């Protein structure tokens, strides 16, 4: 299903031009117009899913396989020394376009980017409580 009001649906399906790195029947990989680093790309499904929670498991698996292939190519062709895969879900997590997409951010020495978080501290009891809440 496509969303006629979704900019990423339009890009993924070729209605809006993009710098396409890869395309098949289900996905388009494009260069990000506001890149964090050289080669920053987005994996876009051609079908509309607002976020990871709506994405079918099979499609999620295909996203990771595609990310692996693209990461190998980026390392080979761009000479990046690392790569961040970033996938945000919801306003609070920083999602700004509500069409599932995965950022592929090649990393280079002294690229000036900081992608991470400040580690928290939990007691063994708190960890156990959280584990039990999630697994039942």
């Amino acid at each position: 299903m496509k969303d006629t009001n979704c900019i990423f649906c339009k890009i993924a399906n070729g209605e809006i031009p993009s710098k396409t790195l890869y395309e098949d029947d289900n996905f388009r990989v494009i260069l990000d117009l506001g890149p964090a680093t050289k080669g920053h790309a987005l994996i876009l499904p051609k079908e509309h899913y607002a976020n990871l929670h709506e994405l079918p498991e099979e499609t999620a698996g295909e996203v990771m396989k595609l990310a692996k292939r693209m990461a190998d190519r980026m390392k080979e062709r761009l000479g990046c020394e690392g790569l961040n895969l970033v996938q945000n879900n919801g306003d609070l997590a920083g999602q700004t376009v509500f069409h599932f997409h995965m950022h592929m951010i090649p990393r280079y020495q002294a690229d000036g980017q900081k992608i991470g978080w400040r580690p928290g501290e939990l007691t063994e009891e708190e960890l156990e409580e959280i584990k039990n809440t999630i697994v039942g």
Side-chain angles (χ1 to χ4, degrees):
M1 175 172 114
K2 316 242 182 332
D3 180 337
T4 57
N5 296 315
C6 175
I7 186 94
F8 278 6
C9 279
K10 292 176 182 178
I11 294 169
N13 290 286
E15 297 171 41
I16 295 175
S18 64
K19 298 297 182 193
T20 299
L21 303 177
Y22 174 86
E23 181 180 14
D24 63 23
D25 290 342
N26 300 312
F27 299 98
R28 184 181 295 259
V29 180
I30 64 168
L31 288 176
D32 193 303
L33 294 178
T37 64
K38 177 180 156 187
H40 180 168
L42 302 175
I43 298 175
L44 306 174
K46 290 186 175 182
E47 293 295 322
H48 184 81
Y49 307 102
N51 54 47
L52 180 65
H53 306 290
E54 290 185 7
L55 196 67
E57 281 189 17
E58 183 176 318
T59 305
E62 293 303 314
V63 168
M64 287 306 295
K65 289 177 186 176
L66 180 53
K68 160 88 170 95
R69 289 193 304 270
M70 293 303 301
D72 290 346
R73 179 167 283 224
M74 288 174 169
K75 183 176 181 181
E76 174 189 328
R77 303 279 175 91
L78 296 175
C80 56
E81 300 170 54
L83 183 99
N84 289 107
L85 294 179
V86 178
Q87 203 285 306
N88 303 319
N89 291 279
D91 288 319
L92 193 59
Q95 185 177 10
T96 58
V97 178
F98 292 88
H99 178 111
F100 173 91
H101 56 287
M102 181 176 287
H103 293 262
M104 300 188 66
I105 305 172
R107 299 305 302 273
Y108 307 93
Q109 195 73 288
D111 64 20
Q113 293 297 331
K114 290 284 184 195
I115 300 171
W117 53 89
R118 187 178 58 242
E121 294 182 28
L122 295 174
T123 66
E124 183 64 33
E125 292 78 23
E126 290 169 319
L127 289 168
E128 186 68 21
E129 181 182 339
I130 294 166
K131 180 197 79 148
N132 291 336
T133 299
I134 293 171
V135 299

